[in-house]
């Protein structure tokens, strides 16, 4: 139930009007002045109310309060700050599920991993390996912590430090997080409820993970110098043995053939053992073909925005310009302070070019003290410029992009500051030049309901899949921009060399952040459907994803243009719908074996290569003989995958792709009808049969998707979709087709 305002053209007969939809409602207010009623009613009836004659608007109620981890409200698991029944009761907040995380370790003292209200775990086979860290302890929430460091210590890695970072023995020999990344990702997936959390005082509210009542386990395989794939593989296998149900991997490397990718091998083993695997798509976007973690048994996640922004305004004269910041307002709020440009604050022995950029040592303290300084972006770091202003005695900074600069970033500045685009700063520059004693102030504010959202992050890696173009990657997108979650106070708050701040919660962006969001959702599905296979969980998440933004348009990319499945895969994750998908595409070990046969030429005696012993158990039958590939009998696009991608289509003729779906709905005797959204040009999609009828739960039905090329001049890729529906569930699969090869 949710409260709303029902606006009517005539209040006379409103009870009878609503009775046509439901009698389960409560009148909260009668607003005769505006011809409206305040109602408490099932929010699923909002669309029906909107269709009633005389109804002018249905406006959902909103709770106004300070808050954080906006993700879960944006993902529709909360409404007005309260958990929906699907999250709290159907999935029980992930209770009974264990989520494992392969990352930089965990901070055991974080409030997100308190074990209040948890009993002893049952069936857990893992351990808490504190190594040489005698102060590290697990509990009934954080039930396991291990570290794997053999691979990273080989001379090849020791001689190649990443960005000057050397391996630290304390870090190497403890499961504790000395980076912050692992605590952030694990708490996003399965952290408990923590009130009053914030990042530098912004976004204050209750932090929580997607499965807040799940237990969690940390598998440290990443260090300051990076992650060895051997260590990652060891961590994955240990997690499987320990008994995790969901595995989150916010790690990646350039795409490689599956049989040469240890992470792909390890995760195939995990999936075969019933562990759902979620991984990040990579941060190499928007370059086409940059997506990583391409194996079809992995659920690969891109990153996009949510409807929250860390906004900040600069107020001067009669003008206000808008920007972004993670710092606070100038205090007292609204009190004007003198303003000066970096150019006019130049120290005697410095060039104006340097002072314009607020370069270290370039500002004259006598000119800057007690003022807000306007600096230009470039050369030195954004936050470093604020440090320069602060060291010179300034009380605030406005950071302006140089000519043409558009992107603005919410940084955790060391003093009140705001980053503005060049076009926004233009009025400020004119004001500084035309006013003898310019004054102004900075106001920071958290904005919710920002539109459009989601928008694809520019850094989120894009398809197509460069290893197997017949498998669409990424699979879905999820919140990965400005995500607030737990952090390790053993790590500095930022990577800046002068950073000395320590924070329990921090804001970070990346596909590393979107990945654990989906892992948390996978935990919810596992809690509600404990007997579902990893492929069924993956299918539920993919086929219920949405492609619309909150402004009723399509999801956009960083340029403002409509994004494509190469950015978001099947769409944006939709947790409530994923808990009840109706139909799922299940994929068996036999399916994966045939898939591998189809993408790699068969070797000695037509057997899966013996050089991959970890894969052999998946393909050994009851007679103990290795699985045999059948030459030419299987095509990679026929893997029973929830999305459809057909590459290298012939210039004319028909290509047929096979699929099968399983009924997991609430009851038998269901009929699903298909709807096809045709590509804009070049290819026509036909589905046979157009109706699927199910007589029992878990019954499977097969269908074919025919792709007819009618325009041989079709260039690049075209996109369509098919959607099965029984009137309640929508089971959607994107379709990608191209006549290009390679």
């Amino acid at each position: 139930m949710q409260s709303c305002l029902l606006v009517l053209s005539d209040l006379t007969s409103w009870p009878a009007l609503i009775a046509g939809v439901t009698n389960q409602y409560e009148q909260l207010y009668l607003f005769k002045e505006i011809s409206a009623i305040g109602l408490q009613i099932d929010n699923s009836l909002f669309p029906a109310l909107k269709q009633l004659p005389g109804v002018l608007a249905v406006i959902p109620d909103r709770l106004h309060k300070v808050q954080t981890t906006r993700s879960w409200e944006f993902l529709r698991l909360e409404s007005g700050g309260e958990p929906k029944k699907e999250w709290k009761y159907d999935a029980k907040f992930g209770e009974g599920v264990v989520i494992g995380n392969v990352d930089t370790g965990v901070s055991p003292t974080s409030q997100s991993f308190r074990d209040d209200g948890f009993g002893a775990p049952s069936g857990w086979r893992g351990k808490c390996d504190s190594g040489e860290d005698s102060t590290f302890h697990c509990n009934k929430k954080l039930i396991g912590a291990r570290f794997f460091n053999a691979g990273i210590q080989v001379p090849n890695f020791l001689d190649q430090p990443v960005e000057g970072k050397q391996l630290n023995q304390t870090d190497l020999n403890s499961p504790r997080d000395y980076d912050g990344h692992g605590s952030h990702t694990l708490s996003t997936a399965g952290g408990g409820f923590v009130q009053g959390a914030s990042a530098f005082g912004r976004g204050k509210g209750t932090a929580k993970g997607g499965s807040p009542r799940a237990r969690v386990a940390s598998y440290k395989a990443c260090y300051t110098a990076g992650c060895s794939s051997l260590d990652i593989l060891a961590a994955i296998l240990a997690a499987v043995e320990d008994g995790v149900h969901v595995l989150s991997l916010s790690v990646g490397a350039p795409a490689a053939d599956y049989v040469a990718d240890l992470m792909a091998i390890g995760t195939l083993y995990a999936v075969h053992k019933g562990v759902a695997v979620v991984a990040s798509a990579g941060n190499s976007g928007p370059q086409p073909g940059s997506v990583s973690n391409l194996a079809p048994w992995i659920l690969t996640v891109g990153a996009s925005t949510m409807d929250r922004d860390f906004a900040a305004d600069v107020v001067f004269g009669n003008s206000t310009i808008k920007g972004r910041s993670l710092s606070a307002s100038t205090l007292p709020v609204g009190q004007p302070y003198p303003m000066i440009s970096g150019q006019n604050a130049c120290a005697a022995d410095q060039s104006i070019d340097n002072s314009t950029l607020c370069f270290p040592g370039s500002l004259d303290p006598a000119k800057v003290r007690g003022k807000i300084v306007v600096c230009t972006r470039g050369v030195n770091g954004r936050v470093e410029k604020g440090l320069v202003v602060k060291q010179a005695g300034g009380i605030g900074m406005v950071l302006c992009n140089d000519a043409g600069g558009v992107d603005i970033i919410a940084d955790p500045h060391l003093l009140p500051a705001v980053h503005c685009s060049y076009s926004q700063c233009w009025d400020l520059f004119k004001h500084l030049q035309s006013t003898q004693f310019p004054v102004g102030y900075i106001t920071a504010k958290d904005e919710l309901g920002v539109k459009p959202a989601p928008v694809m992050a520019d850094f989120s890696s894009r398809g197509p899949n460069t290893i197997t173009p017949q498998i669409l990657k990424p699979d879905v997108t999820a919140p990965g921009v400005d995500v607030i979650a737990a952090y390790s106070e053993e790590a500095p708050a930022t990577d800046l060399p002068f950073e000395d701040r320590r924070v329990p919660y921090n804001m970070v962006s990346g596909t590393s952040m979107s990945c654990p969001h989906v892992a948390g959702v996978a935990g919810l599905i596992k809690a509600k459907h404990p007997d579902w296979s990893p492929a069924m969980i993956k299918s539920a998440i993919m086929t219920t994803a949405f492609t619309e933004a909150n402004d009723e348009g399509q999801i956009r990319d960083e340029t403002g243009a409509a994004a494509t499945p190469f950015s978001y895969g099947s769409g944006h994750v939709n947790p409530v719908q994923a808990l009840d998908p109706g139909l799922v595409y299940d994929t068996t070990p036999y399916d994966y074996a045939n898939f591998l046969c189809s993408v790699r030429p068969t070797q000695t005696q037509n057997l899966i290569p013996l050089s991959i012993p970890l894969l052999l158990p998946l393909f050994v039958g009851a007679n103990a003989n290795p699985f045999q590939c059948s030459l030419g009998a299987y095509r990679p696009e026929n893997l029973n995958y929830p999305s459809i991608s057909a590459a290298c289509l012939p210039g004319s003729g028909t290509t047929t792709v096979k699929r099968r779906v399983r009924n997991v709905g609430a009851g038998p005797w269901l009929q699903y009808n298909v709807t096809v959204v045709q590509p804009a040009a070049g290819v026509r999609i036909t589905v046979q049969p157009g109706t699927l009828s199910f007589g029992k739960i878990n019954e499977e039905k097969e269908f074919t998707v025919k792709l007819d090329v009618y325009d041989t001049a079709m260039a690049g890729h075209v996109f369509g979709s098919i959607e099965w529906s029984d009137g309640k569930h929508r089971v959607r699969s994107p379709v990608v087709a191209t006549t290009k090869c390679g």
Side-chain angles (χ1 to χ4, degrees):
M1 302 289 282
Q2 183 177 344
S3 54
C4 70
L5 185 72
L6 188 67
V7 184
L8 301 163
S9 59
D10 183 2
L11 286 175
T12 306
S13 57
W14 69 265
L17 190 67
I18 297 176
V21 174
T22 182
N23 58 8
Q24 299 296 313
Y25 68 89
E26 181 180 350
Q27 178 186 339
L28 303 178
Y29 295 101
L30 178 63
F31 300 107
K32 293 182 179 179
E33 301 88 345
I34 57 172
S35 187
I37 308 110
L39 295 177
Q40 179 178 307
I41 196 168
D42 190 330
N43 63 342
S44 68
L45 299 176
F46 286 1
L49 291 176
K50 291 178 180 178
Q51 300 302 314
L52 293 175
V55 172
L56 304 179
V58 180
I59 306 171
D61 189 13
R62 292 193 302 159
L63 182 68
H64 291 257
K65 65 177 184 177
V66 295
Q67 58 183 318
T68 190
T69 53
R70 172 71 177 177
S71 317
W72 305 111
E73 184 147 9
F74 183 64
L75 289 173
R76 307 173 188 177
L77 284 173
E78 290 180 305
S79 177
E82 295 297 321
K84 289 187 176 179
K85 69 176 186 65
E86 291 88 350
W87 194 19
K88 185 175 182 178
Y89 298 112
D90 294 357
K92 300 177 181 178
F93 291 131
E95 189 168 347
V97 171
V98 180
I99 298 176
N101 190 45
V102 178
D103 212 299
T104 63
V106 64
S107 173
T109 58
S110 171
Q111 293 296 299
S112 288
F113 306 121
R114 294 195 321 265
D115 62 356
D116 301 348
F118 281 85
S122 60
W124 175 246
R125 303 181 295 273
K127 61 181 181 179
C128 190
D129 182 1
S130 60
E132 298 178 2
D133 188 345
S134 60
T135 63
F136 188 101
H137 302 287
C138 297
N139 58 32
K140 294 174 184 177
K141 168 74 173 179
L142 175 62
I143 59 174
R146 304 174 68 173
F147 58 96
F148 304 86
N149 58 22
I152 198 65
Q153 295 189 80
V154 300
N156 181 57
F157 289 117
L158 291 174
D159 295 339
Q160 300 178 41
V162 178
E163 297 178 354
K165 297 179 179 179
Q166 298 288 343
L167 288 170
N168 179 288
Q169 289 301 311
T170 303
D171 186 14
L172 278 173
N173 295 294
S174 167
R176 192 180 298 271
D177 182 10
Y178 288 91
D179 180 89
H181 192 274
S183 300
H184 197 281
T185 54
L186 185 56
S187 66
T188 300
F193 294 95
V194 180
Q195 295 182 344
S198 68
F200 303 95
R202 302 291 298 278
K204 190 173 184 179
T206 300
K208 83 284 279 183
S211 289
R213 290 293 296 172
R215 291 181 171 87
V216 295
S218 171
Y219 298 86
K220 184 174 179 178
C222 295
Y223 303 86
T224 53
C227 322
S228 160
S229 59
L230 282 172
D231 294 339
I232 292 173
L233 177 60
I236 292 170
L237 300 182
V240 174
E241 178 60 28
D242 288 348
V244 305
H245 301 108
V246 177
L247 196 54
S248 182
L249 297 113
S250 290
V251 295
D257 191 275
Y258 306 131
V259 296
D261 184 345
L262 295 186
M263 187 164 149
I265 293 171
T267 52
L268 179 55
Y269 177 82
V271 167
H272 178 60
K273 292 296 184 180
V275 178
V277 177
V278 185
S280 53
N283 299 333
S284 300
Q287 179 67 27
S290 55
V291 63
S292 59
N293 292 322
L294 303 177
W297 45 87
I298 296 174
L299 179 47
T300 309
V301 187
S304 45
T305 65
M306 46 187 149
D307 65 341
R308 175 182 63 190
D309 191 24
F310 295 101
D313 293 343
V314 185
V315 181
F316 55 93
N318 295 319
S319 300
T320 300
I321 62 173
K322 297 184 178 296
R324 304 185 71 223
S325 178
L326 201 60
S327 63
S329 305
T330 49
L331 296 175
V333 175
Q335 175 177 309
Y337 287 91
M339 303 183 76
I340 188 172
S341 67
Q343 176 180 348
N344 292 335
C346 185
D349 58 345
Q350 292 288 320
S351 71
I352 289 179
D353 288 342
N354 282 351
S355 66
T356 299
L357 294 167
C358 296
F359 208 70
S362 66
L363 302 180
D364 184 345
K367 299 176 181 177
V368 168
R369 189 171 296 111
K371 297 179 181 178
I372 297 173
V373 181
V374 181
C375 305
T376 300
R377 183 180 181 181
V379 186
N380 56 327
R382 300 182 303 274
V383 177
E384 182 184 13
K385 294 175 188 290
L387 176 63
V388 172
V389 172
K390 184 177 182 179
Q391 290 174 335
I395 58 92
M397 176 185 71
V398 180
L399 177 60
C400 290
N401 281 348
D402 55 6
V406 176
D407 66 309
I408 54 176
I409 299 166
D411 287 310
H413 291 282
L414 299 163
L415 78 175
V418 55
H419 185 183
C420 302
S421 67
Y422 179 79
S423 60
Q424 286 281 303
C425 283
W426 184 247
D427 287 342
L428 177 57
F429 289 137
K430 290 193 297 183
H431 181 75
L432 294 176
Q433 293 169 0
S434 62
T435 306
Q436 186 175 4
F437 300 109
V439 295
Y441 58 90
I442 295 170
T443 302
K445 54 186 178 180
D446 300 343
E447 292 185 349
L448 303 178
V450 174
K451 296 182 179 182
V455 173
M456 294 306 303
D458 60 348
F459 58 76
S460 186
S461 291
R462 307 301 210 265
N465 184 330
T466 55
I467 302 299
T468 316
Q470 298 89 347
I471 302 296
L472 176 63
K473 291 287 181 173
D475 292 306
V476 291
T477 188
V481 178
D482 297 347
V483 176
I484 296 176
Y487 212 64
S488 174
E489 294 187 71
E490 299 292 336
T494 71
D495 289 332
L496 298 168
F498 50 81
E499 183 63 81
D500 61 0
R501 293 172 292 179
R502 299 293 187 272
V503 293
Y505 289 83
N506 207 347
M507 187 186 80
V508 189
S509 297
T511 56
S512 284
M513 285 62 249
S514 57
C515 166
H517 277 92
V518 177
V521 174
L524 298 177
I525 298 173
K526 186 68 175 179
K528 184 179 180 182
H529 306 285
D531 58 337
W532 279 16
S533 71
M536 295 168 73
I537 293 173
K538 178 178 183 177
S539 174
I541 292 172
M542 291 175 63
T543 60
T544 57
F546 60 86
T547 61
E548 301 80 22
N550 60 358
D551 64 350
E552 300 183 0
Q554 292 296 300
I555 295 176
R556 296 145 168 96
D557 65 19
E558 71 286 350
T559 69
T564 75
F566 286 151
S567 296
Y568 55 66
S570 294
H572 192 282
V573 64
N574 188 355
V576 171
Q577 298 302 317
L579 290 167
D580 181 22
L583 303 176
V584 293
Y585 295 79
D586 199 5
T587 313
T588 66
Y590 182 86
D591 292 326
Y592 288 131
N594 271 320
F595 168 79
L596 289 171
C597 289
S598 70
V599 298
R600 170 162 285 271
T602 55
Q603 298 188 8
T604 307
Q605 298 178 348
N606 292 338
L607 302 181
I608 293 292
L610 296 179
S611 60
I612 321 172
L614 284 172
L615 296 184
L616 289 178
L618 279 69
F619 309 125
V620 174
N623 59 3
N625 292 323
F627 176 89
Q628 255 186 309
C629 292
S630 300
L631 286 172
Y634 200 88
R635 306 198 325 267
E637 58 265 35
N638 281 334
L639 179 68
N640 199 42
Y641 209 68
S643 59
I644 297 170
S645 179
C648 201
L649 294 177
S652 61
T654 300
T655 296
T656 301
V657 177
K658 300 177 181 178
R659 288 293 188 270
R660 67 179 187 275
V661 287
R662 173 177 295 185
N663 173 32
V664 293
W669 306 112
L670 299 174
Q671 180 171 296
Y672 281 81
N673 297 310
V674 72
T675 300
V676 178
V677 175
Q678 298 290 348
V683 176
R684 183 174 296 104
I685 301 171
T686 306
V687 180
Q688 291 292 336
T691 299
L692 298 176
S693 298
F694 296 90
K696 57 184 179 181
I697 300 295
N698 284 322
E699 182 179 4
E700 286 192 310
K701 293 285 187 178
E702 295 183 348
F703 64 92
T704 61
V705 178
K706 294 183 178 180
L707 305 171
D708 294 295
V709 178
Y710 65 85
D711 183 358
T712 56
M714 182 190 75
H717 304 268
V718 295
F719 308 98
S721 66
I722 65 170
E723 180 175 303
W724 296 98
S725 179
D726 63 348
K728 175 184 177 182
H729 305 94
R730 52 177 292 275
V731 187
R732 181 183 175 278
S733 296
V735 179
V736 180
T738 179
T739 56
K740 288 188 174 182
C741 300

